Amino acid sequence: MSVISDLETRDLIQLAAETRLKAYAPYSKYLVGAALRTRSGRIFTGVNIESAAYPTTICAERVAIFKAVSEGEREFEALAVVTSNGGFPCGGCRQVMAEFGLEMIVLVADANGRLVERSTVRDLLPGAFTPEHLQP
Ligand code: THU
């Protein structure tokens, strides 16, 4: 049995879809919304926030994770990502996800809330470099 129910899955995707509309993406016009559920049951949302200095843009997934970590959370159950066309998390975001555990469920959905992929960080980032690699 999954740690996250079908209802929780639907709710997380729905929240990411609503949050997506708050994205600040005047350059790419590619709106991304994320919703992160912690093991303690708290939810943190994120959107992509672009910058006129393009490389300083930050992805929705990272905003959600950084908000959660800055509020004291480090254990995550699931992350929903919603885009217009069901795009997958970028490599940089996969690496940040891996920092906090490979078992987190990643739900990829489109703007209609259709689930495109249900995966884990482990499967999205094979051979991940993790904090354990820095242990002496
Ligand atoms: N973007 C995300 O927010 N998450 C991803 O995983 C992929 C890309 C954003 C960054 C940028 O604002 C826009 O999508 C186009 O790359």
Side-chain angles (χ1 to χ4, degrees):
M1 198 192 87
S2 166
V3 290
I4 179 166
S5 70
D6 287 350
L7 182 61
E8 287 164 345
T9 297
R10 270 200 304 276
D11 284 354
L12 207 60
I13 291 170
Q14 178 59 34
L15 183 59
E18 287 167 20
T19 301
R20 174 177 168 267
L21 303 179
K22 297 178 184 155
Y24 178 72
Y27 307 107
S28 73
K29 314 255 193 280
Y30 190 72
L31 311 184
V32 187
L36 175 67
R37 185 182 166 90
T38 69
R39 290 216 180 277
S40 61
R42 293 173 75 190
I43 309 278
F44 293 87
T45 58
V47 294
N48 53 328
I49 303 170
E50 298 186 344
S51 166
Y54 296 169
T56 54
T57 289
I58 185 166
C59 294
E61 299 92 318
R62 267 178 272 184
V63 170
I65 292 170
F66 293 164
K67 280 170 69 178
V69 172
S70 68
E71 295 293 329
E73 299 286 349
R74 294 182 183 176
E75 294 185 10
F76 306 129
E77 201 166 77
L79 175 69
V81 186
V82 171
T83 59
S84 58
N85 55 2
F88 277 56
C90 79
C93 287
R94 295 179 198 202
Q95 185 64 48
V96 172
M97 292 174 200
E99 181 69 24
F100 298 100
L102 300 176
E103 307 312 325
M104 182 175 76
I105 293 165
V106 180
L107 305 161
V108 178
D110 68 20
N112 298 319
R114 189 180 67 88
L115 183 64
V116 171
E117 181 77 27
R118 180 191 172 100
S119 189
T120 61
V121 179
R122 185 182 296 285
D123 287 342
L124 289 176
L125 193 64
F129 185 81
T130 66
E132 284 68 48
H133 290 104
L134 295 180
Q135 295 304 313

